[in-house]
Every structure is written in C-alpha cells, then in structure tokens.
Amino acid sequence: MPSSVIKYFSYDAATEALKITFVTDMVYLYKNVPERMYKMLKASGSKGRYFNRHIKDKFKFQKLEEE
C-alpha cells in the first residue's frame, strides 16, 4: 500500500469506522463511512488523492492518540 500521505488504514464494517494512520503518525477515525468507499480507497492507485476527494471533510472524524 504505497502512499506518500497514508501509512496504514483499517476498516470495521460493523461500525462503519475507517481508521487512518498518516505518515506523520497522526491517527484519525472517520465515522459512518460506507464499506464501498473503504473498498474504493483500498483499490485506488493514489490513496491520498482518493482520501482528499472522497473522505476528507465529508465524514465526521475524531483524532486519536498517535501510535
């Protein structure tokens, strides 16, 4: 999963929660993200571009403790 912006991400289908760890080690939990959007992010050639266009500023989120 090479990305210049996103280090790691995971998805919990039961809660529709998308957890993203950025290369800066900042961790955010995005809420009510449809599973199809997670799958599109996973399949995207540019994770950062997909995130910026389809997830950032479109879903409620909370900042978690850095990992």
Side-chain angles (χ1 to χ4, degrees), residues 20-28 63-67:
I20 299 182
T21 303
F22 293 92
V23 295
T24 58
D25 287 328
M26 304 280 272
V27 183
Y28 288 86
K63 184 176 184 283
L64 304 177
E65 293 298 315
E66 295 181 20
E67 294 191 343

Side-chain angles (χ1 to χ4, degrees), residues 2 5 11-13 16 19 22 32 37 39-43 45 47-48 52-53 60 64 66:
V5 180
Y11 184 74
D12 182 344
E16 293 190 315
K19 182 179 175 183
F22 293 92
N32 302 312
M37 296 206 77
K39 289 180 178 178
M40 293 295 288
L41 173 65
K42 193 173 173 183
K47 311 293 188 242
N52 285 331
R53 286 188 182 161
K60 290 186 178 184
L64 304 177
E66 295 181 20

Side-chain angles (χ1 to χ4, degrees), residues 36-51:
R36 65 179 163 67
M37 296 206 77
Y38 160 70
K39 289 180 178 178
M40 293 295 288
L41 173 65
K42 193 173 173 183
S44 175
S46 173
K47 311 293 188 242
R49 184 177 297 137
Y50 185 88
F51 169 78

